[in-house]
């Protein structure tokens, strides 16, 4: 087994590396200048707290507010986190210029070590740079908001589970890939969704389904061929690459995005992550959220009807398919209705969740799908899209 | 949005459907004959119990023994399960001839209903066909062992998370897919791995990595290009399609299979699932297990050295990377060593686990990977393959 020890160098990746390294250099060099000028080095970082997370109703996304925190090296309460941030930045910078593709777990290991020092009284002390990956992940997030770079921009990889098929061609790693020629398989989306070049898209909408098995079913039955569309799954709670890919299809190609999840608080939350972003990581939403994403179903009104809308399920089917909501579901639904303005200010969402709280039942996508692929793929979905039967 | 209501019909799928429908017809029609002949219908099914699970040392896999159970309709203790089996078989048969692609969850819903009847005293009674998916899944397994068909042979889909890249071409759903032209993404393997036609393979071995992020890292660095190989991940505990795909590459193309997991009981178990099969579903091993799969690492001897073998980690790295084993890890390791002949009869496995029990520490793949891609991809892995440093 021969060959050198150099990793394969991709031109797109190289360009991204150089850009990220340059930005990091710009952002961190003032600290060195401060030290040389005899001033205390300090970092000014946007606050990632819940209190500094705001919902922008105009753009329809969560984002960070104006608040910043100052992290000074010479402040005993802040010096640990200051040093952690610089340690992480140094490791990431090193990885960038050395053509490495670290995972977030790698970065945890790379930086993990014990610092031995003597305190003011001369006693020997030990301190770990960090103990848990939770801690180093949070430091990566600090580096992200401080530099304005996403970890993917810095060629940091993480576990991904998004899949896509449909009438479109992309370029990735020098290859042109036709996403309509993948048989019964699919394209597994890589971490760096922004480095994918979308060459052309011949589709009228994007359909995102929560569950992988349902994705496979629709794919296999030829849904995206019949209704010119891009079919995507994030396999449950979507990762960043899947969300970014969906957002790009919407932004760059003007495609409406429809989401299908279970009809329960967990399913709704998955839809809201696509639409608004994750509450705890609001700085991501800027690039990951698709505010105009539409919740196609499964809606409570699909199950019970509403006004002039007839239900898709007969009385007998309803009896067979619905599941009693748990106390936790009820609690979750009440929280959604109480805490989030994009829900309680939205008439249709309010109605949907109130209907859930009244009936105290939920329904899975598979209950609809089990009525047969003819019904699910070729009646339920297209009819709802055609008649505008979604919630925004 | 126009178009008919018929699903896309794939020729390979159609052929598979007809074959499965024919076998189901053959297997179940004797029951009808029995009824017409005035005899009590009964099913004779191989027992799926642990007691009837045997390890075949010659072939190196788990399989079902000779024991069978008889399930009679006219036996009060067996009639419920008898009826469940026939109900499930009928639903699957119907799905086959109607070009449906049900998921296992769909089958649960399709069959779920309440039977109302009067008992011998004329009282009205109700009974559900099944309550939980666990129950219907178990019935699907009965249909599998009774017919000798896998659920995938019957075009039943399920969630899949396997990915593959490398120098090979396949045909799936009428498309020819070059798995070396997928950029930084990968081919997401579909449920029906047996319906994939492997056209050609230009590789010297298969490398299976437990974790998706590590898979992406090796892929990105060009590992499979440098060392002509097929790179696969099952993202943790592998699903059936991933295992079948690995097995086919070994069987049909004679490729050695190397597996890399964490160095802990959970990682070993993942390796054993690829190699021997799952203990609870031993009938699958016949087609899913790859008995000759080799455990490349991470090995305890990579960490601590052994005999003349030098460790890959320095004293300082070891201190930094190793994690204390939990009580659960220890318990698990002892069980592995005690219960499974393919472990306790294997000198090297015995040594590996005993070393673990002595040191009481574990190590993740990422600890090795965090030493840099040059080390991990271009030294550690190829050197171990070249020197035969694996456990079989």
């Amino acid at each position: 087994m021969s060959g050198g020890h150099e990793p394969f160098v991709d031109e797109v990746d190289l360009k991204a590396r150089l850009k990220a390294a340059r930005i990091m250099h710009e952002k961190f060099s003032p600290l060195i200048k401060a030290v040389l000028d005899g001033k205390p080095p300090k970092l000014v970082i946007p606050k990632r707290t819940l209190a500094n997370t705001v919902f922008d109703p105009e753009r329809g996304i969560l984002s960070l507010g104006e608040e910043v925190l100052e992290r000074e090296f010479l402040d005993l309460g802040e010096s640990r986190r200051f040093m952690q941030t610089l340690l992480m930045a140094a490791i990431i910078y090193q990885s960038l210029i050395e053509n490495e593709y670290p995972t977030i777990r790698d970065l945890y290991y790379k930086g993990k070590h014990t610092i031995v020092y003597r305190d003011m009284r001369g006693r020997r002390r030990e301190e770990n740079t960090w103990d848990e990956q939770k801690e180093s992940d949070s430091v990566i997030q600090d580096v992200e908001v401080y530099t304005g770079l996403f970890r993917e921009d810095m060629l940091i990889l993480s576990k991904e589970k998004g899949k896509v098929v449909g009438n479109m061609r992309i370029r990735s790693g020098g290859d042109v890939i036709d996403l309509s020629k993948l048989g019964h398989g699919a394209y597994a989306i890589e971490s760096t969704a922004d480095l994918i070049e979308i060459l052309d898209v011949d589709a009228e909408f994007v359909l995102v389904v929560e569950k992988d098995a349902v994705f496979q079913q629709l794919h296999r039955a030829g849904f995206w061929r019949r209704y010119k569309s891009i079919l995507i799954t994030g396999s449950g709670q979507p990762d960043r690459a899947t969300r970014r890919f969906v957002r790009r299809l919407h932004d760059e190609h003007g495609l409406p995005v429809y989401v299908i999840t279970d009809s329960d608080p967990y399913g709704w939350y998955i839809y809201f992550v696509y639409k608004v972003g994750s509450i705890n990581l609001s700085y991501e939403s800027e690039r990951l959220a698709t505010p105009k994403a539409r919740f196609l179903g499964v809606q409570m009104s699909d199950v019970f009807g509403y006004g002039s809308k007839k239900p898709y399920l007969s009385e007998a089917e309803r009896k067979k398919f619905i599941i009693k909501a748990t106390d936790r579901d009820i609690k979750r639904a009440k929280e959604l209705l109480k805490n989030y303005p994009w829900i309680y200010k939205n008439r249709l969402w309010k109605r949907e969740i109130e209907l859930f709280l009244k009936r105290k039942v939920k329904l899975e996508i598979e209950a609809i799908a089990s009525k047969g692929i003819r019904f699910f793929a070729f009646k339920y979905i297209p009819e709802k899209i055609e008649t505008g039967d979604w919630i925004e």
Side-chain angles (χ1 to χ4, degrees), chain A:
Chain A
M1 227 164 257
S2 61
H5 285 75
E6 287 312 304
F8 170 78
V9 177
D10 176 78
E11 268 182 53
V12 175
D13 286 8
L14 188 62
K15 227 175 113 185
R17 281 177 193 285
L18 293 175
K19 187 181 167 195
R22 186 177 50 71
I23 292 172
M24 289 192 82
H25 195 270
E26 271 169 26
K27 287 283 184 177
F28 285 98
S29 48
L31 295 172
I32 298 167
K33 198 179 170 299
V35 172
L36 294 174
D37 292 350
K39 288 177 193 156
K42 93 182 159 193
L43 291 161
V44 181
I45 307 181
K47 268 192 190 167
R48 291 189 292 107
T49 56
L50 211 58
N52 193 36
T53 295
V54 293
F55 179 66
D56 179 342
E58 205 131 304
R59 293 192 301 157
I61 60 165
L62 284 169
S63 63
L64 288 187
E66 300 287 315
E67 286 176 49
V68 294
L69 59 84
E70 300 203 343
R71 204 164 272 165
E72 287 201 56
F73 177 53
L74 296 180
D75 183 318
L76 213 60
E78 296 166 7
S79 62
R80 178 181 162 83
R81 192 62 181 241
F82 177 94
M83 287 189 284
Q84 285 179 329
T85 312
L86 260 62
L87 172 64
M88 184 56 86
I91 296 167
I92 293 173
Y93 188 80
Q94 188 87 1
S95 299
L96 278 172
I97 60 172
E98 288 191 344
N99 278 322
E100 291 281 346
Y101 292 98
T103 64
I104 51 176
R105 187 86 183 142
D106 287 348
L107 294 176
Y108 157 75
Y109 276 116
K110 273 175 196 270
K112 185 174 170 252
H113 62 271
T114 306
I115 296 168
V116 182
Y117 65 100
R118 291 197 183 274
D119 68 11
M120 285 173 292
R121 294 185 190 167
R123 282 178 305 207
R124 193 175 179 281
R125 298 266 193 179
E126 287 194 2
E127 189 146 6
N128 289 341
T129 49
W130 42 66
D131 292 302
E132 301 284 319
Q133 194 188 334
K134 218 176 139 188
E135 216 179 340
S136 63
D137 280 355
S138 174
V139 177
I140 297 173
Q141 287 160 13
D142 279 346
V143 174
E144 286 187 291
V145 294
Y146 181 69
T147 59
L149 291 164
F150 272 18
R151 63 176 191 228
E152 295 83 1
D153 298 328
M154 302 182 272
L155 282 306
I156 298 164
L157 308 178
S158 52
K159 180 185 170 166
E160 304 297 338
K161 53 200 174 74
K163 299 181 186 176
V164 54
V165 283
N167 282 312
M168 66 182 290
R169 287 186 320 138
I170 60 172
R171 193 186 336 255
S172 165
D175 296 328
V176 172
I177 307 144
D178 186 339
L179 303 189
S180 73
K181 300 271 181 231
L182 293 170
H184 300 310
Y187 183 75
I189 304 168
E190 65 259 38
S191 298
T192 53
D194 262 307
L195 302 184
I196 294 173
E197 187 184 346
I198 299 177
L199 297 173
D200 41 52
V201 178
D202 181 21
E204 285 158 17
F205 62 92
V206 175
L207 184 68
V208 178
V209 288
E210 174 187 344
K211 292 175 178 174
D212 177 70
V214 179
F215 167 90
Q216 285 194 59
Q217 198 170 31
L218 290 171
H219 178 22
R220 198 86 174 210
F223 177 85
W224 59 267
R225 272 179 227 271
R226 171 96 34 102
Y227 306 105
K228 282 170 76 174
S229 55
I230 308 298
L231 191 61
I232 294 179
T233 184
S235 283
Q237 191 64 31
D239 52 52
R240 288 164 53 138
T242 310
R243 288 154 64 199
R244 180 65 190 151
F245 197 82
V246 169
R247 161 72 171 268
R248 288 190 60 197
L249 284 170
H250 177 77
D251 271 17
E252 298 166 26
H253 297 272
L255 298 185
V257 171
Y258 301 101
V259 182
I260 297 188
T261 71
D262 287 346
S263 182
D264 63 30
Y266 187 72
W268 301 332
Y269 187 74
I270 286 176
Y271 162 70
F272 287 125
V273 168
Y274 279 108
K275 180 189 175 71
V276 181
S278 152
I279 316 272
N280 299 320
L281 294 168
S282 58
Y283 68 95
E284 301 175 338
S285 306
E286 206 71 41
R287 275 160 69 184
L288 303 187
T290 307
K292 300 257 180 226
R294 295 157 174 174
F295 178 70
L296 196 67
V298 179
Q299 289 179 46
M300 283 290 145
S301 59
D302 297 339
V303 184
F304 296 104
Y306 191 89
S308 65
K309 178 179 167 180
K310 283 187 190 150
Y312 281 98
L313 300 183
S314 67
E315 184 72 37
E317 284 166 341
R318 197 150 71 213
K319 198 176 164 232
K320 183 169 151 179
F321 293 147
I322 55 173
I323 304 168
K324 209 171 157 283
T326 63
D327 290 345
R328 215 178 141 187
D329 291 327
I330 306 279
K331 187 167 165 267
R332 197 70 216 273
K334 285 181 180 163
E335 280 167 10
L336 289 175
L337 206 51
K338 191 183 151 208
N339 296 337
Y340 305 121
W342 60 93
I343 300 175
Y344 61 70
K345 283 187 181 165
N346 181 319
R347 186 178 55 85
L348 291 176
W349 266 115
K350 217 168 152 248
R351 189 183 86 187
E352 180 74 7
I353 298 180
E354 279 167 356
L355 206 53
F356 168 83
L357 288 171
K358 189 180 143 203
R359 300 275 190 166
K360 292 191 173 52
V361 292
K362 53 188 182 175
L363 194 92
E364 287 191 311
I365 310 174
E366 286 93 336
I368 298 280
S370 73
K371 285 188 69 176
I373 203 73
R374 283 169 193 77
F375 169 76
F376 179 57
F378 305 132
K379 179 175 165 63
Y380 175 81
I381 297 174
E383 190 172 279
K384 283 175 67 75
I385 291 178
E386 212 165 68
T387 60
D389 185 15
W390 64 73
I391 310 182
E392 205 157 289

